[in-house]
Amino acid sequence: MRGKPIAVSSIMVAAALAASGCSVSDNNPNLIAGKQLFVSKCGSCHTLARAGSKGNVGPNLDEAFQRAKVDGLGDDAIRGVVKKQIEYPSRPGYAGQGIMPAKLVTGDDAANIAAYVAASVGKKGQDTGLLATAVKAPGSGKPAVAAGGVLKIDADPSGQLAYTETKASAPAGPITIELDNTSGVPHNIAIAGVGKSPVIPKGKSVFKATLKPGTYTYFCEVPGHEAAGMKGTLTVK
Ligand code: HEC
């Protein structure tokens, strides 16, 4: 069911409205915190254009709410649907049931995410002002250079599907390639024909290899991550 749009049902909406308990953030949401949390907790599974997220495990949220918007559903109702989904993700009988963990966030965090999603779904263009800089652009780190037989490459710490470094260089010969992942999103690092490290959600993931001169692509093997941009170029001299 990867990335398929699913219409948000009016039953869900009604249920969400009936159950909406209000917290401070419902009335005065912090959209910047909402965007940062969305990227770190939700973006690896969901595409949302405004957040720059490209996950494809769950539905594309711009598409999922398109129908609802056409039907005249306002921001408040969409916020209710998103909060409800965070609390009770799995819809019985649905193909993707059980994949989205329940209560990834709660309270104000959930309210802030819901407000950001409602303000963003289906919107053309880019976030402006403080929202534009709330999440650092992926891949903006300095090129990685091997030192002392180790090449260190980081997974984007904010949860975006990217490495911090999109370019790396190393001398030919034996090397340890070390991915540091602080994001909580499962990742690894692999080079076709050379080797790969284990997929882990947090910590250091390492493999040893012997490099020959040439140009290689390093990438994350978790489905969808390379396609979303989690890759870079390694030059070996
Ligand atoms: C591990 C992957 C994963 C993560 C992380 C995740 N989701 Fe989901 N999400 C899914 C899947 C799969 C579905 C479809 C099945 C379902 O409804 O449980 C889904 C469904 C949804 C829907 C319903 C869309 C529709 O078509 O009706 C919304 C809204 C949603 N997610 C929002 C979020 C938010 C907000 C977060 C972060 C707090 C989040 N998701 C985190 C995988 C994920």
Side-chain angles (χ1 to χ4, degrees), residues 8 10 30-31 33 37-38 43 54 57 62 83 102 107 128 131 157 160 164 166 183 189 195 197 231 237:
V8 175
S10 48
N30 181 337
L31 294 181
L37 282 163
F38 179 85
K54 301 191 180 98
V57 177
D62 292 309
K83 277 178 70 180
T128 53
L131 268 184
Q160 298 176 96
T164 307
T166 55
S183 69
I189 185 162
S197 73
K231 60 182 171 181
K237 280 185 184 151

Side-chain angles (χ1 to χ4, degrees), residues 1 6-8 12 38 41-42 44-46 57-59 61 64-65 82 85-86 89-91 94 96-97 99-101 104-105 113 117:
M1 45 63 62
I6 291 122
V8 175
M12 264 181 88
F38 179 85
K41 303 286 184 188
C42 324
S44 65
C45 287
H46 290 288
V57 177
L61 294 184
F65 287 100
V82 176
Q85 172 74 23
I86 292 171
S90 285
R91 272 174 279 156
Y94 183 67
Q97 200 188 352
I99 297 173
M100 178 168 159
L104 274 169
V105 287
I113 290 181
V117 171

Side-chain angles (χ1 to χ4, degrees), residues 92-162:
Y94 183 67
Q97 200 188 352
I99 297 173
M100 178 168 159
K103 303 187 177 70
L104 274 169
V105 287
T106 54
D108 285 349
D109 290 348
N112 288 334
I113 290 181
Y116 177 74
V117 171
S120 309
V121 281
K123 268 208 191 140
K124 293 216 159 52
Q126 306 209 315
D127 281 343
T128 53
L130 288 175
L131 268 184
T133 51
V135 178
K136 214 171 162 188
S140 53
K142 276 195 213 136
V145 180
V150 181
L151 177 64
K152 292 186 185 205
I153 293 175
D154 294 344
D156 181 274
S158 66
Q160 298 176 96
L161 301 179

Side-chain angles (χ1 to χ4, degrees), residues 11-22:
I11 296 168
M12 264 181 88
V13 174
L17 290 178
S20 61
C22 281

Side-chain angles (χ1 to χ4, degrees), residues 60-76:
N60 173 319
L61 294 184
D62 292 309
E63 291 171 4
F65 287 100
Q66 211 164 40
R67 176 79 218 163
K69 284 214 150 177
V70 171
D71 287 349
L73 210 65
D75 276 15
D76 284 358

